Amino acid sequence: MTVLMGALLAAGMVLAASPWLWPAGSRVVRTPRTGAATRLLREAGFRADARVLGVSMVAGGLVAGSVAWLTTATAAFALVIAVTGAAIPLVFLRSRRQRLLRLRRGLWPDVCDLLIASIRVGMPLPDAVAGLEEAAPAPLRPAFAAFARDLHATGRFDAAAVKLKEALADPVGDRIVETLRMAREVGGTELSTVLRALSSSVRAEAALRAEVEARQSWIRGAAVLGAIAPWVILALLLLRPEGVEAYSSPEGVALILGGAAVSFVAFRVMLRIGRLPEPRRWFR
């Protein structure tokens, strides 16, 4: 009995460790892992390398810091402005990503309706998705055109769908593509019903978000004004010789650096208060 229990325990431990000991070659196509910078560039609509973002940040910091130094001759102020200039590319990319998400959020219900119409007339699922390169709303057509080229070149729907997710870089697009991949893999007759429910859900969410964002837009405006106004006044003070002398002292440097930290924290808190939770992307 002891030998039997020991054999069962050993077999259980081997089975538990088998995925790591003998990994099977999976046929499931997964989205390749990308860095945060590359992902931000793709979600903002750019296909550039992450090094381009790094170079842009360094260049922005150097230009902004140099201008501030030549204008005010105050090292602490020039340092703060240089950090702000380095952050401008990130702010631009995030703002562009949010604009694209808001734009696409109102287009996905139309995509679902087009897919439902194509499936109802008996068109195969790959052809229905590929047909969106001409029927989809204009901002989404390039991604579906690339999907159609990949599908015609390889004939593999799953691999083309993964590339489509990367091209769209959108949470709602992920939900639609994963639904189509599952329907393609397991079959079923409820795809039209699922797409119709998804379309209604996305349309209702887009309307609610638009209303809430319109009501909370003053929070972002107040945050921007509250963060910029003190630094504009400080820049005007540093244009005078006595201002440069005062803020070049240890107390002045501490005041500038402390004010920069307080402004950053307050700005982030205000944005956090007025920001709506964004849906996460699926299976990245």
Side-chain angles (χ1 to χ4, degrees):
M1 191 64 179
T2 303
V3 175
L4 179 60
M5 293 297 294
L8 290 176
L9 178 61
M13 295 176 64
V14 170
L15 290 175
S18 60
W20 293 274
L21 295 176
W22 304 288
S26 176
R27 291 180 297 175
V28 178
V29 181
R30 298 187 182 274
T31 303
R33 297 270 183 187
T34 56
T38 303
R39 190 162 57 245
L40 178 60
L41 285 167
R42 290 181 178 178
E43 292 176 355
F46 296 102
R47 293 292 177 262
D49 190 80
R51 289 173 293 184
V52 176
L53 177 59
V55 171
S56 301
M57 294 178 64
V58 172
L62 289 176
V63 170
S66 300
V67 172
W69 172 255
L70 293 175
T71 305
T72 64
T74 307
F77 182 75
L79 176 63
V80 172
I81 297 301
V83 173
T84 304
I88 287 177
L90 287 176
V91 174
F92 169 75
L93 289 176
R94 290 174 179 172
S95 177
R96 180 179 171 85
R97 178 180 62 183
Q98 293 300 320
R99 287 199 303 269
L100 289 177
L101 288 177
R102 285 195 296 268
L103 174 63
R104 291 175 176 175
R105 194 175 291 134
L107 302 178
W108 289 118
D110 296 334
V111 173
C112 292
D113 294 341
L114 291 170
L115 287 173
I116 293 171
S118 299
I119 293 170
R120 279 183 172 180
V121 300
M123 185 179 295
L125 182 57
D127 295 339
V129 181
L132 293 175
E133 66 174 321
E134 297 180 357
L140 301 177
R141 289 179 186 176
F144 287 107
F147 169 84
R149 290 193 299 269
D150 292 335
L151 183 64
H152 294 157
T154 63
R156 300 176 57 190
F157 177 82
D158 206 39
V162 170
K163 293 182 180 180
L164 176 62
K165 281 177 56 177
E166 286 301 300
L168 293 172
D170 186 274
V172 181
D174 289 349
R175 291 157 63 183
I176 294 176
V177 172
E178 290 298 331
T179 301
L180 297 176
R181 289 178 66 189
M182 182 176 296
R184 173 70 173 176
E185 183 175 352
V186 304
T189 59
E190 300 298 325
L191 179 58
S192 298
T193 303
V194 173
L195 288 176
R196 190 179 299 107
L198 182 59
S199 174
S200 301
S201 173
V202 172
R203 186 176 283 110
E205 181 183 359
L208 180 60
R209 280 182 172 275
E211 181 178 356
V212 173
E213 288 174 355
R215 292 176 179 269
Q216 291 187 342
S217 60
W218 63 272
I219 296 180
R220 181 175 294 274
V224 173
L225 180 61
I228 292 179
W231 297 98
V232 173
I233 296 174
L234 178 60
L236 294 176
L237 292 175
L238 291 176
L239 294 178
R240 301 178 62 85
E242 56 270 23
V244 174
E245 182 180 358
Y247 284 102
S248 296
S249 63
E251 294 81 3
V253 172
L255 180 62
I256 291 177
L257 297 181
V262 171
S263 297
F264 176 77
V265 173
F267 184 73
R268 296 297 299 176
V269 169
M270 287 290 287
L271 291 184
R272 177 74 64 173
I273 292 174
R275 186 176 64 183
L276 294 175
E278 291 290 342
R280 295 181 178 272
R281 293 191 59 196
W282 288 24
F283 308 115
R284 285 190 299 177

